[in-house]
Amino acid sequence: MNLSNRISQIKPSPTLAVDAKAKAMKAQGVDLVSFGAGEPDFDTPENIKEAAIKAIRDGFTRYTAAGGTDELKDAVIDKFRKDNGLEYTRGEVVVNCGGKHSFYNLAQVLFDQGDEVIIPAPFWVSYPPMTILAGAKPVIVETTQEQNFKITPEQLRENVTPATKALVINSPSNPTGSVYTRAELEAIAQVAVENDFFLISDDIYEKILFDGATFHTMASIGKEVKERSLVLNGVSKSYSMTGWRIGYMAGPKEIIGAVTKIQSQSTSNPNSIAQKAAVEALTGPQDFIDMLREAFQERKDYIIRRLNQMPGIRCFDPKGAFYAFPNVSEYYGRTISGKKIEDSNSMADFLLDVAKVAVVPGIGFGADPYIRLSFATSMEQIREGLDRMERALTSD
């Protein structure tokens, strides 16, 4: 069977693949600890669920406008005003079927054959494939733990060409948890203004911050920067609504209109019931977020301390999101329990087979010396998983 050339250029999402494998093993009765899933383990708050139930009972089960309801757009506009000091109109906001869908639609609208998109590594696994699917070239710029996994203005300038169409910034970052300061964003934005390219700001982990870190978004830097900024966000992470599939985007009216047009010819509107739930998430009580952040802070402190105490492992201390990204490359080239560890893939296989612990290989994030552990799971599971991991790595 002959499939399209475009599909042959990409691989399945490694994070979803690990999560699916872990769930399948658990279903078979395997006593497994999974650090794979990038979703909070808390249930969606009751007020949000009740809003969805009411929507069903009220018969709000038909098509909405392709780019989302005015009610939800207004809630998003109000969120941007209150949280970020940004002013948008309805024509500058679109609601998508999850944050991933937001980036995919934007890539289809913004990128073309011959365009280059600068993506700092480590990166979220789907940025390069979705760039490739739009016909553009991902330009991967490696960052290091020593520079807190953040691209510098100097690195950016070195990689800008006449073909550069956009830079992707994800802060707080998946997988590293790095958070850009306002000064760092200002310096990066200056390069974008000087060289006339777009800034794509993926802010999905905006509310999950640690150790007093402060969030800033690109569009808030100034008028000239806002005009070339696309801000992506959603309700999945902050409100434990990953399965509801509601993301949203704000930016220049022409681009948002084009995203709405492509959505009208693909998925049509986001789920009507989930939109009602998202309105409640954004406009209702926000105390859930404080609880979430406090729980993740406790887990983060524990998992980073434990990982850094393990022989041969060093782990960056994240300031946001809910991931640990330890460097495990000291184990590469070793044979433990009869298994040769050569890279992040074989490390992940080793931990799954020997320790019954699921992690995501760093290669999928553009950083093979590392593995990703999500601490969006209970402290009990975190303790057990790290105990198993340490025993397995020190067994020989």
Side-chain angles (χ1 to χ4, degrees):
M1 181 180 294
N2 293 323
L3 300 179
S4 67
N5 288 331
R6 74 177 68 87
I7 196 64
S8 66
Q9 298 179 66
I10 65 169
K11 298 177 182 179
S13 165
T15 53
L16 293 182
V18 168
D19 190 45
K21 187 172 183 179
K23 287 176 178 175
M25 291 176 69
K26 285 186 176 181
Q28 294 166 6
V30 178
D31 178 19
L32 183 78
V33 175
S34 179
F35 290 116
E39 61 179 347
D41 56 313
F42 300 98
D43 196 10
T44 304
E46 287 299 319
N47 63 306
I48 297 173
K49 292 192 288 186
E50 287 300 321
I53 292 167
K54 185 178 187 300
I56 295 170
R57 288 178 175 152
D58 290 348
F60 194 73
T61 56
R62 299 181 182 276
Y63 294 131
T64 73
T69 65
D70 284 346
E71 181 185 27
L72 181 50
K73 286 186 178 183
D74 287 345
V76 169
I77 289 167
D78 190 51
K79 174 258 178 277
F80 277 124
R81 182 183 301 116
K82 289 189 303 185
D83 291 352
N84 311 114
L86 294 170
E87 294 289 339
Y88 290 106
T89 65
R90 288 177 181 172
E92 296 172 308
V93 171
V94 61
V95 182
N96 312 108
C97 305
K100 183 176 286 189
H101 191 222
S102 298
F103 190 92
Y104 180 86
N105 283 350
L106 180 60
Q108 291 296 314
V109 162
L110 207 56
F111 306 155
D112 222 334
Q113 199 75 35
D115 286 341
E116 294 180 353
V117 181
I118 297 175
I119 303 173
F123 46 72
W124 177 51
V125 296
S126 292
Y127 294 144
M130 289 193 285
T131 299
I132 291 168
L133 284 171
K137 175 187 175 183
V139 176
I140 308 302
V141 179
E142 293 186 10
T143 67
T144 65
Q145 185 167 333
E146 287 67 35
Q147 67 190 85
N148 296 321
F149 296 118
K150 291 185 278 191
I151 192 171
T152 66
E154 293 73 27
Q155 284 182 302
L156 185 54
R157 284 193 177 89
E158 288 170 2
N159 286 277
V160 170
T161 74
T164 301
K165 191 64 174 286
L167 164 70
V168 181
I169 291 290
N170 176 210
S171 174
S173 159
N174 175 8
T176 68
S178 62
V179 177
Y180 285 82
T181 66
R182 182 177 179 85
E184 289 167 339
L185 293 179
E186 287 173 348
I188 289 168
Q190 185 60 40
V191 181
V193 171
E194 290 170 359
N195 292 275
D196 191 25
F197 57 82
F198 289 101
L199 294 160
I200 300 173
S201 184
D202 185 349
D203 300 349
I204 194 70
Y205 296 96
E206 170 187 3
K207 302 285 188 180
I208 304 172
L209 297 165
F210 308 125
D211 306 326
T214 303
F215 173 79
H216 300 280
T217 189
M218 269 292 184
S220 67
I221 299 302
K223 183 176 181 294
E224 199 173 10
V225 178
K226 185 189 176 194
E227 290 171 351
R228 65 183 68 252
S229 293
L230 287 306
V231 184
L232 281 58
N233 211 318
V235 297
S236 293
K237 312 298 183 180
S238 299
Y239 301 96
S240 202
M241 294 176 68
T242 51
W244 297 76
R245 308 314 302 137
I246 295 291
Y248 54 83
M249 184 192 325
K253 190 172 183 177
E254 184 180 1
I255 296 173
I256 296 302
V259 168
T260 304
K261 183 196 299 184
I262 201 169
Q263 187 157 296
S264 75
Q265 294 289 11
S266 54
T267 60
S268 297
N269 62 276
N271 180 283
S272 61
I273 299 156
Q275 287 190 69
K276 281 288 189 181
V279 170
E280 175 63 22
L282 293 173
T283 63
Q286 301 295 299
D287 50 313
F288 175 80
I289 295 174
D290 292 333
M291 181 278 294
L292 195 76
R293 189 186 298 117
E294 288 174 10
F296 285 147
Q297 175 80 59
E298 180 186 9
R299 297 173 186 182
K300 187 273 290 188
D301 290 344
Y302 179 80
I303 196 170
I304 300 303
R305 183 173 67 252
R306 282 288 309 274
L307 286 168
N308 280 317
Q309 288 172 349
M310 293 185 191
I313 291 179
R314 60 190 181 96
C315 189
F316 175 71
D317 190 359
K319 300 305 174 187
F322 40 70
Y323 306 106
F325 201 57
N327 187 322
V328 295
S329 60
E330 234 184 84
Y331 287 92
Y332 296 176
R334 299 188 194 179
T335 299
I336 307 176
S337 299
K339 293 185 176 294
K340 184 71 175 289
I341 301 173
E342 297 176 311
D343 50 26
S344 60
N345 280 323
S346 53
M347 171 60 86
D349 288 341
F350 165 80
L351 291 173
L352 191 62
D353 294 340
V354 175
K356 297 298 183 285
V357 170
V359 301
V360 185
I363 189 66
F365 304 96
D368 195 40
Y370 299 82
I371 57 175
R372 193 194 76 174
L373 287 75
S374 167
F375 48 86
T377 188
S378 70
M379 280 295 292
E380 180 185 8
Q381 285 287 284
I382 291 171
R383 290 190 185 96
E384 175 64 23
L386 293 177
D387 287 345
R388 293 182 183 190
M389 184 174 166
E390 188 167 18
R391 282 196 300 268
L393 290 172
T394 57
S395 59
D396 283 8

